[in-house]
Amino acid sequence: MPRWTPRPDGGRPSGRGCAHTLTAAPDPHSDSDPDPDPVGAECPACPAGGGTRADLLLCLTCGHVGCSDSSPGAHAHSHFASSGHPVARSLASGQEWAWCYVDEVYLDPAREDQQPRSGARRIESVWDYPRPPALREDDRRVRVECAAEVLADTRRAVRVLETSHPPVFYVPPADVRTEWLRPAPGSRTHCEWKGVAQYWDVVVGGEVRERAAWSYPHPDPGYELLAGCLAFYPSRVDRCTVDGEVVGAQEGDFYGGWITDEVRGPFKGAPGTLLW
């Protein structure tokens, strides 16, 4: 089972989620402790160079041990650069955290309520999703929080699955505090499959989150299930969760996909991926 989850506070320098919490061990589906055995009790490169380092990182893929300085010359960082193994955890006493080099995210041990239930969903690659996109009804609990309020809470979401994209969750309007939404001026886009999208500002108390949500009031044929439903950018509200798992935001500022532990990339959205 997954052991790690992205740190929900200010310890996420990039603002991203993490796509590697299930791939940080040789057997991510094992119920046993996922940490591999360390290959040693010290950074082997430091004694070789005449130095010692007390703070160490353990590679959660192969067990490599290296000094934990985050600078490019540190030996844990050098191991990642040569191996591509994404996640390493601290071996320092009393410091139970991990670092994902790929997503630049601190990870903390997952609480019990963040673990997948016994009926956990299978891992999905976004490159197995179709184009045109498919719709899937989803009965997991989906919540959106903004300015200390619950903006949406449903077990009737609809996922949109499209090649190269993390899923987008659409929430029925009956499960959204629509009184906190106002039409965003001059903000419509056209999807070649779903039709014309309307964008919404979220206004809670004195806070305004511009263009934080969108909908398809009159979707094109084949996508009628989305009519009136609201989708939210994880990066423009405070917190989105799926069955308690905190969602990571798709990179870029347009598509709005939700990254959870069940999906694998690479994902469209970063610079250079426009034509994916």
Side-chain angles (χ1 to χ4, degrees):
M1 61 179 63
R3 177 172 181 179
W4 302 99
T5 187
R7 185 175 294 177
D9 58 17
R12 299 166 63 182
S14 67
R16 305 176 192 167
C18 180
H20 302 93
T21 56
L22 278 172
T23 59
D27 182 6
H29 302 293
S30 171
D31 289 333
S32 62
D33 188 337
D35 286 0
D37 292 332
V39 297
E42 59 184 12
C43 175
C46 285
T52 59
R53 293 295 293 269
D55 293 335
L56 303 174
L57 289 182
L58 170 69
C59 174
L60 293 183
T61 300
C62 70
H64 174 273
V65 173
C67 58
S68 65
D69 188 336
S70 60
S71 65
H75 298 119
H77 190 287
S78 297
H79 172 70
F80 160 70
S82 63
S83 68
H85 297 165
V87 180
R89 65 156 296 173
S90 173
L91 291 177
S93 176
Q95 297 187 37
E96 192 166 12
W97 54 266
W99 171 257
C100 178
Y101 288 96
V102 175
D103 294 316
E104 297 183 337
V105 176
Y106 282 105
L107 306 173
D108 289 324
R111 303 188 310 268
E112 184 63 29
D113 62 0
Q114 293 172 308
Q115 305 289 337
R117 298 178 294 188
S118 58
R121 302 167 72 94
R122 66 179 180 84
I123 301 301
E124 300 175 347
S125 168
V126 299
W127 293 95
D128 292 333
Y129 293 161
R131 186 176 286 150
L135 305 184
R136 297 288 185 269
E137 295 179 278
D138 199 301
D139 64 358
R140 289 174 293 176
R141 189 176 189 185
V142 171
R143 286 168 58 94
V144 178
E145 301 171 21
C146 187
E149 299 284 356
V150 177
L151 180 59
D153 191 342
T154 192
R155 288 188 178 272
R156 302 183 297 159
V158 178
R159 286 198 308 159
V160 174
L161 311 179
E162 180 179 347
T163 306
S164 77
H165 293 272
V168 175
F169 286 74
Y170 285 77
V171 180
D175 296 333
V176 178
R177 297 290 299 270
T178 54
E179 69 270 22
W180 291 336
L181 302 180
R182 71 182 184 194
S187 56
R188 291 179 182 268
T189 58
H190 181 266
C191 170
E192 61 184 305
W193 296 296
K194 297 185 291 292
V196 176
Q198 164 72 55
Y199 289 80
W200 303 85
D201 296 337
V202 174
V203 184
V204 182
E207 290 200 37
V208 179
R209 308 291 178 87
E210 295 183 354
R211 294 170 59 91
W214 75 95
S215 65
Y216 289 92
H218 306 288
D220 286 352
Y223 295 91
E224 292 87 353
L225 194 60
L226 298 180
C229 293
L230 280 301
F232 297 87
Y233 284 99
S235 60
R236 300 181 189 180
V237 296
D238 292 339
R239 177 180 164 105
C240 298
T241 59
V242 178
D243 266 357
E245 179 187 349
V246 178
V247 168
Q250 182 177 7
E251 201 169 350
D253 198 38
F254 181 72
Y255 299 108
W258 289 25
I259 299 175
T260 60
D261 278 342
E262 72 185 0
V263 295
R264 295 290 179 268
F267 306 118
K268 184 174 181 176
T273 66
L274 180 62
L275 299 180
W276 283 13

